[in-house]
Amino acid sequence: MKKRHIAFAALALIGVGAGTAAYVATPTIHEGAPGETPELGRYGEYQVGTQELLIGLPDRLTFGALGLATGQVEEEMPALQVRLYYPAAVAAGAQPITYNHTMSPPAMEPVTLEFEGRAFADAAPIPEGKFPLVIMSHGFNGWSTQFSNLAEHIASQGYVVASIDHADMRIEGVTDFVLSFNRVLVNRSLDQRQVLAQLIAGAKAGNGPIYNLIDPEQVGLIGYSMGGYGAFATAGGDYDYESGTFGRVPDEALTVLRETSAEPAPVDAVIAFAPWGGQPDNRVWSSETLSKVSVPVMLISGSQDDVSNHAEGVSWIFDQLTGTKRYMLVFREARHNIVGNDFDVPADAPFRMAEFLNEPVWRQDRINGINQHFVTAFLDLHLKGDADKASYLDVPTTNANDSNWETSFGEQLNGKFAGPDETEHWRGFQRRWAAGLEMQRKAAGE
């Protein structure tokens, strides 16, 4: 079950004399989130509905283990489950959804994870309004509701979110890993492009109440790890196909990816969590190809990421995106798992589950609140044109620890957010609570 968070009233002890003291209590409880969650990380004004959609992907190729050796491919017509989240009119008495997912890593008994959501299954979309579309793309062997907390949050702020279940091949051993990963190299961006194309086509055709909510002219793309790898190609950062990383992919399958990636998809903003593919030993872009991404980008990374390699991989991607303005939020000391639900991993589950899901240094709920804050600011700025949100991103200090908001002697902080008048503090964070983070930014051409 999802962990429950209770934020208590803060008690301030203010000394007024050697033998006298007064306690001042100020509520710090915020609906739907711990009291420490930054301002824009709080749930939005809309109730959220959720439902699944099956989307067919025409004209696709696949290959098996033999194909890795011989180049043999075959045609397939896959269909992917896509979970939608959207502003909804929720019936009285309705109960929020509980998400379930069974993990079955090799040589391990299956373990089912449950997570209590805030969305309502099959709730009716609100009857009017147009909202930007946000595509979400998980990492290798992830699943569509792994980040349901983030998807629900975005939808509550007035977006339609489509989270893809990429249906990566299940891994039973080393051979399966190699085959599955090579398929992902080809399929991630293709999945993103085809799901996006069909949703936009459905919106333009008015194919139903949910489609009618979608503004096809405002599209964001969020990818984690291999989802981020796909996202940059989808947004116009074509791959360097001479990279040795693609060396085992059958030529015919690689040709389809090359032809499809020649032009960017209609994406207006990209957020990449811990994107894979920039590290020197598996670098899949050149400086030239990444420079062709022209839409605004935000990268989010852990400074100790040893999967995507923050120092030589994610940071390298950030530096090469010279065709656009970009941001990079860094969780200092964090590793690769810097996004995802705060799952209760069973105490008797093998450690590999915790290793796949959890961050070893940061609390997951703290990470999620910060992610929700900055994702909201970035999407509102670039998909809704809300210029006020720029000040949440253009922070006054690169290192959050240098953020300054003076406190009087004996003053209790009480959860007040830094507003536009606190020009030396990261906006939207409480006093002393902007810590452990860095925000780097560069302009196009820089």
Side-chain angles (χ1 to χ4, degrees):
M1 295 294 233
K2 182 183 178 183
K3 298 170 185 172
R4 296 288 188 180
H5 304 287
I6 303 175
F8 294 98
L11 294 176
L13 175 60
I14 305 175
V16 293
T20 308
Y23 286 91
V24 179
T26 303
T28 60
I29 297 174
H30 301 272
E31 177 65 28
E36 65 185 282
T37 297
E39 180 183 359
L40 302 181
R42 310 305 166 100
Y43 215 65
E45 64 179 288
Y46 294 98
Q47 289 186 296
V48 175
T50 183
Q51 58 183 265
E52 284 191 313
L53 185 67
L54 187 66
I55 294 185
L57 308 179
D59 303 322
R60 295 287 288 269
L61 298 178
T62 191
F63 49 89
L66 181 62
L68 293 179
T70 66
Q72 178 181 340
V73 299
E74 54 191 73
E75 294 182 1
E76 68 169 349
M77 187 76 72
L80 297 182
Q81 293 283 351
V82 177
R83 180 165 285 277
L84 300 176
Y85 302 84
Y86 50 89
V90 177
Q95 295 298 308
I97 190 172
T98 296
Y99 303 101
N100 296 279
H101 177 76
T102 299
M103 293 186 66
S104 301
M108 175 182 133
E109 289 296 320
V111 176
T112 298
L113 298 170
E114 289 189 347
F115 190 81
E116 294 179 7
R118 298 193 64 176
F120 296 85
D122 301 317
I126 61 174
E128 56 186 24
K130 289 286 185 182
F131 303 96
L133 173 64
V134 177
I135 304 293
M136 292 182 68
S137 179
H138 61 71
F140 184 45
N141 278 149
W143 63 94
S144 63
T145 60
Q146 189 177 353
F147 319 115
S148 61
N149 67 306
L150 179 59
E152 290 176 345
H153 174 83
I154 295 170
S156 79
Q157 303 289 340
Y159 293 85
V160 176
V161 180
S163 185
I164 305 170
D165 197 318
H166 289 282
D168 298 339
M169 173 186 164
R170 181 178 172 182
I171 298 171
E172 298 291 350
V174 174
T175 301
D176 288 342
F177 177 89
V178 172
L179 175 57
S180 181
F181 196 80
N182 275 274
R183 285 179 174 177
V184 170
L185 288 174
V186 174
N187 291 337
R188 248 334 166 263
S189 179
L190 297 180
D191 288 354
Q192 294 169 2
R193 286 172 177 268
Q194 287 187 296
V195 168
L196 172 58
Q198 293 199 40
L199 290 174
I200 288 178
K204 290 181 176 179
N207 282 354
I210 293 180
Y211 287 102
N212 291 339
L213 293 181
I214 295 173
D215 178 356
E217 303 301 322
Q218 299 296 332
V219 177
L221 176 56
I222 298 176
Y224 167 58
S225 193
M226 292 306 292
Y229 153 88
F232 287 121
T234 300
D238 197 6
Y239 301 117
D240 174 9
Y241 296 100
E242 302 307 313
S243 164
T245 303
F246 296 102
R248 300 191 68 176
V249 177
D251 288 342
E252 195 171 348
L254 204 58
T255 297
V256 172
L257 179 62
R258 188 193 299 263
E259 291 175 350
T260 305
S261 301
E263 297 292 334
V267 170
D268 302 291
V270 171
I271 298 173
F273 288 92
W276 188 92
Q279 60 275 29
D281 51 346
N282 285 112
R283 186 162 288 167
V284 298
W285 297 282
S286 66
S287 298
E288 180 183 0
T289 58
L290 275 180
S291 71
K292 294 179 181 179
V293 176
S294 61
V295 299
V297 171
M298 181 165 68
L299 295 95
I300 302 177
S301 181
S303 70
Q304 300 302 313
D305 189 330
D306 53 353
V307 174
S308 294
N309 188 337
H310 171 77
E312 299 176 288
V314 180
S315 295
W316 179 85
I317 293 172
F318 175 73
D319 289 337
Q320 309 316 308
L321 290 167
T322 54
T324 187
K325 181 177 182 179
R326 67 273 197 200
Y327 299 87
M328 182 166 67
L329 174 68
V330 180
F331 289 87
R332 285 200 296 272
E333 302 306 320
R335 290 202 183 272
H336 190 61
N337 300 338
I338 41 82
V339 64
N341 292 352
D342 185 18
F343 293 106
D344 266 336
V345 178
D348 59 349
F351 181 72
R352 69 177 63 182
M353 282 194 63
E355 194 171 30
F356 186 82
L357 295 170
N358 294 344
E359 202 324 279
V361 174
W362 286 73
R363 294 193 339 261
Q364 207 73 29
D365 66 295
R366 176 65 175 160
I367 285 178
N368 290 342
I370 292 170
N371 285 338
Q372 290 162 192
H373 173 81
F374 283 110
V375 166
T376 299
F378 183 81
L379 294 178
D380 281 1
L381 174 62
H382 294 294
L383 299 186
K384 293 184 177 179
D386 184 352
D388 181 58
K389 295 304 195 311
S391 62
Y392 292 89
L393 299 165
D394 296 330
V395 294
T397 62
T398 299
N399 185 340
N401 292 18
D402 297 331
S403 193
N404 181 46
W405 183 2
E406 293 185 3
T407 305
S408 302
F409 177 74
E411 180 183 4
Q412 182 65 21
L413 310 183
N414 293 331
K416 180 182 178 183
F417 300 123
D421 296 334
E422 285 77 36
T423 57
E424 297 180 23
H425 196 274
W426 282 30
R427 186 174 177 186
F429 282 78
Q430 301 90 336
R431 280 189 178 102
R432 301 176 62 243
W433 244 243
L437 302 167
E438 295 177 9
M439 178 68 85
Q440 300 179 35
R441 59 187 184 272
K442 290 188 176 185
E446 187 177 352

